[in-house]
Amino acid sequence: MAAGLRVVLLGPPGAGKGTQAKFLQEHYGACQISTGDILRKAVAEQTPLGKEASGYINRGALVPDDLIVNLVAERLKENDCAPGFILDGFPRTIPQAQSLDEILKKMGMVLNGVLAVQVPQKVIVERLAGRRTCKGCGALYHLAFDPPKAVAVCDRCGGELVQRDDDREETIVARLKVYDTQTAPLVDYYRERNLLRSVDGVGTVDDIRNRIIQALGDVK
Ligand code: AP5
């Protein structure tokens, strides 16, 4: 069995999955696979995948499973994922989780943990409404909790900071409903497989980081 971190970050929109995945990637030398980032890049580049996905994303719905599963299967084969991986935003439905089990089985691997990051709805809305993302390097900011030094300019690369289209209030509400109905059942799916590790997602970014490291303790 391959060594390394092989985890899923599970949690509602705005739980801080992307923020923590970027840290875990560096800390554990694993690759981050964010299906949301991959889809947004495809939309920006107007690829066939992007053209098909954009309508779903803009109304806060999930992109069909078959479009996502192959994309993740291919990404997992890339060299930077050999030391381990952090899945951020995948799986999001029970069929996606079953497909992931099959993909990993074919690769001779299993997951070694699923981190369920828990954040109440009020905090989620606050986090999503203030989120800004760099168009150049993808760095994440928050207008109140982690503001850039200059308005709308990335501290790291000087790129333009923008608000995601799906962070409008009505779309946030739709995304939260989709999470409750389609993704939350994964908590039980992974609990039944003894993979679930719950993490309180309220607090500073550093607090949550430390809780995740603690929760991962024996992994790797
Ligand atoms: P995706 O991009 O995966 O969005 P999401 O799951 O809704 O998650 P977010 O990226 O909104 O939040 P996050 O948990 O990463 O939080 P973040 O770290 O940014 O998916 C988007 C869309 O793509 C979906 O709606 C769907 O259409 C499609 N899609 C993607 N994957 C799919 C799949 N597998 N199947 C089908 N469709 C799929 O943090 C949020 C903000 O809070 C930031 O501003 C950050 O700076 C701030 N913050 C983070 N932590 C803290 C903290 N501790 N304290 C204060 N502020 C904090």
Side-chain angles (χ1 to χ4, degrees), residues 66-170:
D66 56 339
L67 288 183
I68 296 287
V69 168
N70 290 340
L71 188 150
V72 173
E74 290 308 307
R75 181 67 184 90
L76 279 167
K77 290 180 197 156
E78 288 178 30
N79 287 342
D80 62 327
C81 295
F85 57 81
I86 303 132
L87 289 166
D88 160 14
F90 178 93
R92 254 177 152 98
T93 61
I94 299 277
Q96 286 185 17
Q98 290 164 337
S99 298
L100 176 63
D101 292 342
E102 282 164 31
I103 292 165
L104 294 179
K105 194 172 167 195
K106 280 188 196 149
M107 296 175 82
M109 290 190 254
V110 287
L111 289 174
N112 50 21
V114 173
L115 293 152
V117 185
Q118 286 157 348
V119 183
Q121 186 154 330
K122 184 175 166 285
V123 176
I124 288 172
V125 174
E126 213 173 40
R127 284 190 189 170
L128 292 180
R131 171 166 56 191
R132 296 295 181 271
T133 311
C134 175
K135 260 176 120 175
C137 68
L140 285 170
Y141 294 86
H142 190 282
L143 293 181
F145 307 132
D146 182 18
K149 292 193 181 84
V151 178
V153 179
C154 178
D155 295 349
R156 285 170 227 178
C157 77
E160 183 192 356
L161 301 185
V162 292
Q163 182 169 34
R164 268 171 47 177
D165 287 342
D166 62 347
D167 281 346
R168 294 184 311 268
E169 203 176 325
E170 65 278 15

Side-chain angles (χ1 to χ4, degrees), residues 23-95:
F23 155 74
L24 292 174
Q25 179 182 23
E26 275 181 34
H27 189 80
Y28 291 96
C31 73
Q32 174 195 6
I33 303 182
S34 161
T35 42
D37 285 350
I38 295 171
L39 290 170
R40 278 185 291 279
K41 186 165 181 276
V43 171
E45 291 170 356
Q46 299 203 344
T47 65
L49 168 68
K51 283 180 188 162
E52 199 162 347
S54 68
Y56 295 99
I57 297 174
N58 287 340
R59 61 176 189 275
L62 293 182
V63 171
D65 292 340
D66 56 339
L67 288 183
I68 296 287
V69 168
N70 290 340
L71 188 150
V72 173
E74 290 308 307
R75 181 67 184 90
L76 279 167
K77 290 180 197 156
E78 288 178 30
N79 287 342
D80 62 327
C81 295
F85 57 81
I86 303 132
L87 289 166
D88 160 14
F90 178 93
R92 254 177 152 98
T93 61
I94 299 277

